[in-house]
Amino acid sequence: MDKFTNENNINEQTYKDLDEETLFVVSQSFKALSDPTRIRILHLLFTKEFSVNEIAECLKLRQSTVSHQLRFLKNLRLVKYRREGTTLYYSHDDEHVINMLKQTIEHALHH
Amino acid sequence: MDKFTNENNINEQTYKDLDEETLFVVSQSFKALSDPTRIRILHLLFTKEFSVNEIAECLKLRQSTVSHQLRFLKNLRLVKYRREGTTLYYSHDDEHVINMLKQTIEHALHH
DNA sequence: TTAATATATGAGTATATTATCATATATATA
DNA sequence: TATATATATGATAATATACTCATATATTAA
């Protein structure tokens, strides 16, 4: 087919699907915010940094549960930490994602 | 304990956890956007409405896969449809969520 | 070096999610 | 009414996820 005779191409809509990497990054970002435990952890970190044990205490979660979820969030670079002795203080590290979470919580609270 | 003698309450931080319903609504909203197939469907619907079969064709998905995912999205009121004969045309139905998806795709594409 | 404390990790289990097949339902038309 | 077409649904199987326990690692102080 050439462009002069292919009538079917006139007004043809060619849809450009999302590429695989974008799809992966986007889905992972939202997956991070799709779990109640991770939401609670990130929500706690809205105000200030907390150690792993403090998070566990505040939210009534096992230390290992918190640690596993923090690893998940750290892999996605949604949280970071600083060390002080044996204690690691975690804080949030992605303005875009944190803002989405804040907005959606507000949205949920007022609807 | 009363408020005059409880020294421990001085400067105590009382953290208010998210209530269960908010947690559920927020996690469900993000869960909708955490799956590559649902992202592709919603992304396709950015521009205009599509029938179930058109979505399946465009995205190379089975009709039943599309139908199941549309039900999921419809339950969360993220899509709506109008009927024309036996054909159902689906379109997006939640500006807030769609905007989050658009923003996050942009964010992913430019980083 | 030993003990104490904070955190991370591996394995196992329970549950949730997704895609698929087969089939049911609904609408339009002959 | 019978048929064709579009969509929905139920059951199943494969995979992914989240929590828990037990234990490993890392840091500090005695």
Side-chain angles (χ1 to χ4, degrees), chain A residues 30-45:
Chain A
F30 287 118
K31 189 165 294 175
L33 303 177
S34 72
D35 176 73
T37 300
R38 287 193 291 271
I39 293 174
R40 293 174 71 211
I41 292 174
L42 289 171
H43 180 248
L44 180 62
L45 298 182

Side-chain angles (χ1 to χ4, degrees), chain A residues 100-111:
Chain A
M100 279 203 309
L101 181 54
K102 282 184 182 174
Q103 281 173 37
T104 303
I105 289 172
E106 282 305 301
H107 198 257
L109 287 174
H110 304 316
H111 284 79

Side-chain angles (χ1 to χ4, degrees), chain B residues 26-53:
Chain B
V26 172
S27 62
Q28 284 295 108
S29 300
F30 287 118
K31 187 165 294 174
L33 302 177
S34 72
D35 175 74
T37 300
R38 286 192 291 270
I39 293 173
R40 294 174 71 211
I41 292 174
L42 289 171
H43 181 248
L44 181 62
L45 299 182
F46 275 5
T47 47
K48 66 178 186 73
E49 63 181 13
F50 284 89
S51 73
V52 179
N53 276 337

Side-chain angles (χ1 to χ4, degrees), chain A residues 63-81:
Chain A
Q63 178 268 321
S64 64
T65 298
V66 174
S67 188
H68 278 301
Q69 295 294 11
L70 285 171
R71 179 168 58 174
F72 182 107
L73 295 170
K74 188 156 54 64
N75 286 342
L76 287 175
R77 297 175 194 283
L78 300 189
V79 300
K80 63 180 188 293
Y81 64 83

